[in-house]
Amino acid sequence: MDEKKLAIIATKGTLDWGYPPFILASTAAALGYSVEIFFTFYGLQLLKKDLGHLRVSPLGNPAMPMPVPMPTLAMILPGMEGMATSMMKSKMKAKGVASLEELRELCVEAEVRMIACQMTVDLFEFDTADFIDGIELGGAAAFFEFAGEADITLFI
Amino acid sequence: MVQEDKVLDARGLNCPLPILRTKKALGELNSGQVLKVVATDPGAVKDFEAFSKQTKNPLLEQAEAGGEFVFFIQKA
């Protein structure tokens, strides 16, 4: 049987939404899949060497569990985003959830191919020197070259 | 009772770490050798069955005791 293939497009750059691409990619690789992730728009934030800048916002996210119910307007107060971010980080640590850096490192070890979208790198003026090593640059056609033969394709 | 060749302590770790560490530990074993994994993540039960099925490494035995899940996986 041929190796199965998983193609992922990662478009989000928040602390919470950074998880699905790396969890699925690392697990698929452990199951023997060949995996490629195409990072575009805000997903490019996930490629930076230091991921300490990633945040999670309760603003516009009524589904986010809060310790006490809060009116939507309170979410715009200064410090709310920082509070939500540190709350999520400490909860993840307490529950034995891997850090994004750790999951990404496991993806790198498992030879998950990572491609940064050239157009959005240019658009947002990202410096590719800030990215981890081993990142390739490519466009939509480069994504389809792999995704066209993939068994599973996910847009996250 | 199955006799293990190596033990992996995955207690306190959450999805997908127990599976990822298991994959790595199996890589250090020879074909036919057995890895014992101890985990506390309740999701691990379904995940180890799925891992075994997809990677063709037989899940020889599994048990639960006091909130800990034990798996014996043989390297294919």
Side-chain angles (χ1 to χ4, degrees):
Chain A
M1 197 178 74
D2 280 343
E3 195 175 50
K4 285 196 171 188
K5 289 184 179 173
L6 166 67
I8 298 175
I9 304 183
T11 66
K12 294 182 177 66
T14 52
L15 178 64
D16 47 351
W17 282 99
Y19 273 86
F22 290 135
I23 288 181
L24 295 171
S26 57
T27 304
L31 294 173
Y33 281 70
S34 160
V35 186
E36 186 175 299
I37 314 177
F38 185 83
F39 296 86
T40 187
F41 278 81
Y42 317 110
L44 290 170
Q45 298 285 2
L46 305 176
L47 292 177
K48 287 191 175 164
K49 286 188 186 109
D50 181 8
L51 295 178
H53 67 296
L54 298 187
R55 320 262 281 176
V56 58
S57 175
L59 190 61
N61 184 4
M64 187 170 171
M66 297 295 277
V68 285
M70 279 189 208
T72 305
L73 208 58
M75 303 300 184
I76 64 166
L77 294 174
M80 284 301 282
E81 193 178 275
M83 197 190 78
T85 300
S86 59
M87 248 171 51
M88 182 165 281
K89 279 187 179 170
S90 60
K91 194 138 220 171
M92 281 170 160
K93 205 168 179 183
K95 302 256 183 193
V97 176
S99 68
L100 274 180
E101 285 90 341
E102 187 178 0
L103 285 172
R104 185 176 64 179
E105 187 51 41
L106 289 165
C107 287
V108 170
E109 273 175 34
E111 293 173 358
V112 169
R113 220 174 131 204
M114 303 193 198
I115 298 182
C117 165
Q118 178 81 64
M119 187 276 277
T120 41
V121 164
D122 293 343
L123 174 68
F124 295 127
E125 295 170 354
F126 275 95
D127 184 350
T128 51
D130 293 337
F131 291 165
I132 55 168
D133 293 336
I135 304 300
E136 298 166 56
L137 286 163
F143 170 75
F144 281 111
E145 189 184 1
F146 182 85
E149 294 176 353
D151 300 270
I152 303 171
T153 303
L154 301 171
F155 182 91
I156 302 176
Chain B
M1 193 68 186
V2 185
Q3 191 57 50
E4 72 271 11
D5 297 287
K6 189 185 168 87
V7 180
L8 172 67
D9 183 2
R11 287 175 297 181
L13 298 178
N14 226 315
C15 172
L17 288 181
I19 288 291
L20 299 182
R21 300 264 165 96
T22 297
K23 164 79 180 171
K24 204 169 185 178
L26 280 174
E28 291 157 11
L29 293 183
N30 297 317
S31 179
Q33 288 191 303
V34 175
L35 175 71
K36 176 186 178 182
V37 185
V38 187
T40 47
D41 171 19
V45 176
K46 261 233 139 32
D47 270 0
F48 273 89
E49 286 168 7
F51 174 78
S52 160
K53 212 165 137 188
Q54 292 175 81
T55 58
K56 313 266 190 280
N57 296 299
L59 183 57
L60 303 178
E61 202 173 299
Q62 54 179 311
E64 193 214 332
E68 291 191 354
F69 305 91
V70 183
F71 306 93
F72 291 89
I73 303 169
Q74 187 172 39
K75 176 151 178 176

